[in-house]
Amino acid sequence: MTPAAPASSLLVPDARTQARNRAEARFRLYGLAAVSAAILMLAVLMGSILSNGLSAFRQSYITIPVTLDAATLDKAGTRDPSGLRQVSATAYGKLIARNLQAALAAKGIATDGLKPKDIAALLSEDAGARLRNMVLADPGLIGRTIDADLLASGRVDGFLKGRVTEESAAKDSKIKPAQLTLVSAMKGAGMIGLRLNPAFLTAPDASEKRPEAAGLGVAIIGSAYMMIVVLALSLPIGVAAAVYLEEFAPRNRFTDLIEVNISNLAAVPSIVFGILGLAAFINFAHLPRSAPLVGGLVLTLMTLPRIIIPARAALKAVPPSIRDAALGIGASRMQTVLHHVLPLAAPGILTGMIIGLAQALGETAPLLLIGMVAFVRDYPGLPPAGLADPATALPVQIYNWTQRADPAFVERASGAIIVLLVFLMLMNGAAILLRRRFERRW
Amino acid sequence: MNFPRLAVSALALATAASAASAGDQIHVAGSSTVLPFATIAAESFGDNGEFKAPVVEGGGTGSGLKKFCEGAGPDTIDIATASRRIKDEERAACTAAGVADIIEVRIGYDGIVFASDSKGADFALTPADLYRALAAEVVVDGKLTANPAARWSDVNPALPAQDIIAFVPGTKHGTREVFEAKVLEAGCKDSGAEEAIKGLTGGDKDAVRKACTALRTDGKAVDIDGDYTETLARIASEPKAIGVFGLSFYENNTDKLKVATVSGVTPSVETIADGSYPVSRPLFIYVKKAHIGQVPGLKEFAAFFVSDDMAGPEGKMADYGLVPDPKLADQQAVVENETTLK
């Protein structure tokens, strides 16, 4: 009589083991599903931003020879700068429109059924202003014929990018199908084409009438200025606070209270800091509205707790033996901190600093209240005086553009998101690099 | 380590900057309806480089006038834009803060249009139809009852047999005020409901207005607290809905939207200017007289704002979709003579 085969063995798992194995497989599957869902959402987000926004980095330009006719641009013939300034951008626009018609005639492109106004409408209004700036910078151009790259209007740009079609143009009050036919013909003749658009990063914002000219120049400078202010204020204040609390402060109720409050402040919604900034810096201290200085001050308030907390953690991570050794050979407390503890904690502090700055860079809400959501055409001056000049900021510019009526701003807003993301990735990358390279573990 | 020195210099910098305040550039704030046109004007004004382009902020009429009335110092704004006339209490606040001389300039009109998805049905509305479709309670058999209308054809057989969904501006918008006054109250009167409600409530004027302007809350009239881009996005996802837009926004999106006639009139710059399209409102800018001569280019900018090139019948304002003032010359004279509000 052979014994009955055991109900289970190492090779044949029993029912409970099987159930446990299945549960484990399910558990891993849940995790995998969560990660895939996150990746999928990220992919959808990135996909939609990139597909909408990448085209903002290319722009349609019409290339034609433009005769800078001295009779129109410099009636006095003296090339006197103040006389040249009298000629308005509109006059330059008309000059360009005449040249465009002449260029079309020279290439033998039919413009039947289109009024001169319709042909001029292919060009951006900004083209005249840009040409005027070019001539004012170099009055020697007057009287010569130059090959000019002229910005095309937003609807024409949309047509070359596939956003505007003949079908949509039929219903669109801003462009006619006949104009698009002309654009197709011009494209065939090589007069118009998409090219790289550095102006998207350097030009100031533009109004609804010329979305094609809108750029991020003022916003990037404004954001950079704010980051300078945040860095200049929050690094010393944050590090000093962290060093005092970690190295010098006695442990008592009062320091406990401070500690709890710092943690609480880090969790306060950022809009609250905006309200505080409006009350303290603008209404009370009478600092100017829309200035990167005020934006930087508000963001400093917001960033400080977020810097103090990682800075304290970095200081805490330095082993006490280092302090003991320094004190043991006769260093003062200050020497111990400045010569030994702080350098060892520096990578951790800087990592926290960079991540705090990156958060501040992407912050919109507090800036809404202090007038940074403004239309600013002029670049702010050089710091320090320029810190008080009006400017906008990158996230605010995105917010601003999503509210514009002209559909061309959708592309602009997505392009600006890409720029902001690139800056954030660079900063976070720098933080990771610092941590990898210099952080010491004991 | 020079942390103390750094911190001190940063603070010194902050104080220095506050001394060099922003008084050398024109600051404009106010109505979000006027904002796009104000940016167009600022851009064109700056194009010629004689003065810096003004800084333009939105934020709404009320908030713009509040900032305007904070005082006459160089750190206050120079021009407030408004989609309604300044209120008496705002004038009082202004005067109390030392802003007594205000130049009021009417720059033109804005039309409010009803539009639906361009592929949908045509709508020919009247204020009475809109009132009957959207009011919270209507008079049925002499009694106020919850609005029973489910389809547009229920209110007016000539309208499409399509479910009623309307996106209207939320209460924080200036547009809502106009919508209530020119559409709901007018519709209430035209449909005869006003008389009936008067009889029911005992003739209390405020109660009648409240009953006339209350919107239904069963999901058929949806408040939009965002701007027109949000309304447009909602219509794209619900093609049967009808939305309230500014004329200028509609004119920028004619490929996606189809406009409804109101009382048989198609909204356009012309029909609003001649007064035949009923739903429109005046737009204003308020200029701080004390700042003229102090802020470079302020008077020039105000004059530029109402110049024929900008606000005239062929100007950029009409091009953008706002409606020029037929008596523009009077407004130009107001700026020229710096005529202040009495």
Side-chain angles (χ1 to χ4, degrees):
Chain A
M1 212 174 94
T2 49
S8 70
S9 72
L10 281 178
L11 298 175
V12 185
D14 65 9
R16 275 185 64 188
T17 314
Q18 279 180 345
R20 286 198 318 174
N21 287 350
R22 279 198 303 274
E24 176 158 343
R26 277 201 305 277
F27 189 65
R28 287 172 64 167
L29 214 63
Y30 295 150
L32 203 64
V35 171
S36 342
I39 290 179
L40 185 74
M41 281 177 212
L42 187 68
V44 169
L45 178 75
M46 292 307 288
S48 82
I49 290 173
L50 289 178
S51 69
N52 274 329
L54 277 179
S55 54
F57 296 92
R58 288 157 67 73
Q59 197 69 43
S60 307
Y61 284 92
I62 296 176
T63 311
I64 49 164
V66 172
T67 307
L68 296 166
D69 176 17
T72 346
L73 302 183
D74 186 17
K75 285 191 182 99
T78 54
R79 304 286 188 272
D80 171 33
S82 66
L84 293 180
R85 287 194 167 275
Q86 297 295 316
V87 184
S88 70
T90 321
Y92 278 86
K94 284 181 183 150
L95 175 93
I96 294 173
R98 281 199 300 276
N99 277 286
L100 176 59
Q101 276 170 274
L104 287 173
K107 293 251 181 191
I109 297 173
T111 57
D112 305 334
L114 286 173
K115 292 184 211 122
K117 201 179 155 195
D118 296 333
I119 297 174
L122 299 181
L123 289 158
S124 165
E125 280 191 28
D126 214 50
R130 287 191 186 181
L131 187 68
R132 180 173 180 272
N133 289 340
M134 215 165 102
V135 170
L136 289 180
D138 180 11
L141 290 173
I142 293 177
R144 288 173 37 200
T145 300
I146 54 170
D147 267 327
D149 290 333
L150 305 163
L151 202 54
S153 77
R155 289 293 200 273
V156 171
D157 183 53
F159 178 59
L160 290 189
K161 286 173 181 168
R163 190 176 61 235
V164 175
T165 58
E166 307 242 344
E167 195 189 335
S168 76
K171 287 186 250 165
D172 194 333
S173 58
K174 306 263 164 186
I175 192 141
K176 298 177 192 158
Q179 285 171 304
L180 295 183
T181 317
L182 175 60
V183 172
S184 302
M186 286 165 68
K187 199 180 168 197
M191 291 169 72
I192 185 168
L194 285 169
R195 64 183 61 170
L196 219 57
N197 182 30
F200 182 59
L201 296 178
T202 56
D205 191 9
S207 73
E208 301 253 3
K209 294 266 291 175
R210 31 181 119 153
E212 62 280 357
L216 289 168
V218 173
I220 290 176
I221 296 177
S223 275
Y225 280 10
M226 286 198 301
M227 290 305 111
I228 291 174
V229 174
V230 174
L231 189 69
L233 290 177
S234 64
L235 184 65
I237 298 177
V239 172
V243 166
Y244 178 76
L245 286 174
E246 209 48 54
E247 305 288 333
F248 296 98
R251 293 255 150 248
N252 57 26
R253 283 257 179 93
F254 183 64
T255 45
D256 282 352
L257 190 73
I258 290 179
E259 199 166 337
V260 169
N261 273 312
I262 289 174
S263 309
N264 276 341
L265 275 181
V268 166
S270 54
I271 186 84
V272 176
F273 290 103
I275 297 171
L276 178 70
L278 175 70
F281 299 128
I282 294 183
N283 292 345
F284 177 72
H286 294 291
L287 291 175
R289 291 184 65 78
S290 316
L293 173 70
V294 179
L297 288 171
V298 169
L299 292 179
T300 304
L301 292 181
M302 196 197 79
T303 318
L304 263 180
R306 295 174 192 181
I307 287 172
I308 294 175
I309 292 170
R312 289 189 64 183
L315 290 169
K316 215 175 255 169
V318 177
S321 56
I322 297 207
R323 296 183 186 85
D324 294 344
L327 292 172
I329 57 169
S332 70
R333 296 276 292 275
M334 185 177 152
Q335 283 172 326
T336 309
V337 168
L338 293 186
H339 297 174
H340 302 281
V341 180
L342 213 46
L344 287 171
I349 296 177
L350 286 181
T351 307
M353 180 80 217
I354 294 172
I355 291 173
L357 276 184
Q359 277 180 343
L361 179 67
E363 198 58 66
T364 326
L367 304 180
L368 301 184
L369 292 164
I370 55 167
M372 298 292 284
V373 191
F375 175 78
V376 184
R377 278 287 278 178
D378 289 290
Y379 299 103
L382 288 175
L387 293 179
D389 287 346
T392 56
L394 269 175
V396 166
Q397 193 68 64
I398 295 168
Y399 169 78
N400 216 330
W401 282 348
T402 55
Q403 297 192 312
R404 302 274 177 90
D406 196 301
F409 278 108
V410 174
E411 167 200 283
R412 296 306 227 221
S414 298
I417 292 173
I418 295 175
V419 173
L420 183 61
L421 285 182
V422 167
F423 278 122
L424 291 178
M425 275 185 222
L426 286 179
M427 290 173 82
N428 286 333
I432 292 172
L433 203 72
L434 267 178
R435 200 157 43 200
R436 283 275 167 81
R437 268 280 175 85
F438 300 106
E439 194 171 50
R440 288 180 66 173
R441 293 188 183 281
W442 283 281
Chain B
M1 292 285 160
N2 262 326
F3 289 154
R5 200 190 292 170
L6 244 173
V8 168
S9 55
L11 284 176
L13 192 146
T15 21
S18 75
S21 84
D24 62 337
Q25 204 164 353
I26 304 168
H27 281 246
V28 183
S31 163
S32 39
T33 309
V34 187
L35 173 71
F37 176 61
T39 60
I40 291 170
E43 183 179 67
S44 308
F45 187 67
D47 261 356
N48 292 324
E50 199 178 338
F51 299 102
K52 279 186 169 184
V55 174
V56 189
E57 275 183 69
T61 301
S63 114
L65 284 168
K66 189 166 163 252
K67 282 177 210 151
F68 184 78
C69 290
E70 263 163 14
D75 54 342
T76 56
I77 65 167
D78 312 303
I79 294 179
T81 58
S83 54
R84 58 166 168 78
R85 182 160 261 145
I86 189 168
K87 290 179 187 160
D88 286 342
E89 60 260 35
E90 286 163 340
R91 276 298 312 273
C94 256
T95 315
V99 189
D101 291 337
I102 304 170
I103 304 169
E104 180 186 77
V105 190
R106 193 175 59 228
I107 54 169
Y109 295 86
D110 176 34
I112 291 168
V113 308
F114 299 86
S116 51
D117 191 85
S118 62
K119 293 189 239 3
D122 288 319
F123 279 91
L125 299 164
T126 64
D129 292 341
L130 284 161
Y131 166 73
R132 277 194 291 251
L134 301 177
E137 294 183 312
V138 288
V139 182
V140 180
D141 301 331
K143 268 197 224 103
L144 272 180
T145 42
N147 194 340
R151 291 157 172 267
W152 287 102
S153 50
D154 296 347
V155 257
N156 181 350
L159 289 170
Q162 190 170 304
D163 285 348
I164 296 173
I165 306 175
F167 296 121
V168 298
T171 41
K172 70 168 203 173
H173 287 275
T175 320
R176 174 64 169 260
E177 239 167 80
V178 187
F179 176 71
E180 286 181 354
K182 298 272 171 95
V183 178
L184 294 175
E185 283 182 46
C188 195
K189 196 181 233 170
D190 295 351
S191 65
E194 196 184 60
E195 282 303 310
I197 295 171
K198 225 179 240 170
L200 288 170
T201 56
D204 180 4
K205 233 176 158 186
D206 281 345
V208 172
R209 180 178 306 142
K210 219 171 162 190
C212 281
T213 57
L215 288 178
R216 58 199 300 180
T217 48
D218 54 0
K220 295 198 182 303
V222 184
D223 275 18
I224 302 285
D225 277 326
D227 47 26
Y228 295 138
T229 43
E230 188 186 334
T231 315
L232 183 65
R234 296 285 288 267
I235 285 186
S237 63
E238 247 172 295
K240 293 221 179 307
I242 197 161
V244 176
F245 296 94
L247 176 68
S248 47
F249 188 91
Y250 160 70
E251 295 218 316
N252 267 299
N253 290 282
T254 43
D255 52 334
K256 298 188 201 76
L257 291 171
K258 181 188 278 182
V259 74
T261 60
V262 175
S263 309
V265 183
T266 311
S268 70
V269 170
E270 293 78 30
T271 52
I272 291 167
D274 67 18
S276 57
Y277 184 77
V279 197
S280 69
R281 60 173 162 183
L283 304 173
F284 297 93
I285 60 173
Y286 291 93
V287 185
K288 209 173 267 179
K289 192 177 176 184
H291 282 193
I292 290 180
Q294 308 229 334
V295 180
L298 179 55
K299 188 173 177 185
E300 288 83 349
F301 180 60
F304 181 75
F305 215 105
V306 287
S307 64
D308 290 338
D309 280 348
M310 295 305 296
E314 301 286 313
K316 289 189 178 171
M317 184 160 86
D319 206 22
Y320 169 68
L322 295 176
V323 182
D325 193 330
K327 291 180 186 154
L328 191 62
D330 295 353
Q331 303 301 322
Q332 289 166 346
V334 165
V335 175
E336 186 50 43
N337 305 329
E338 303 179 15
T339 317
T340 54
L341 275 177
K342 292 285 164 325

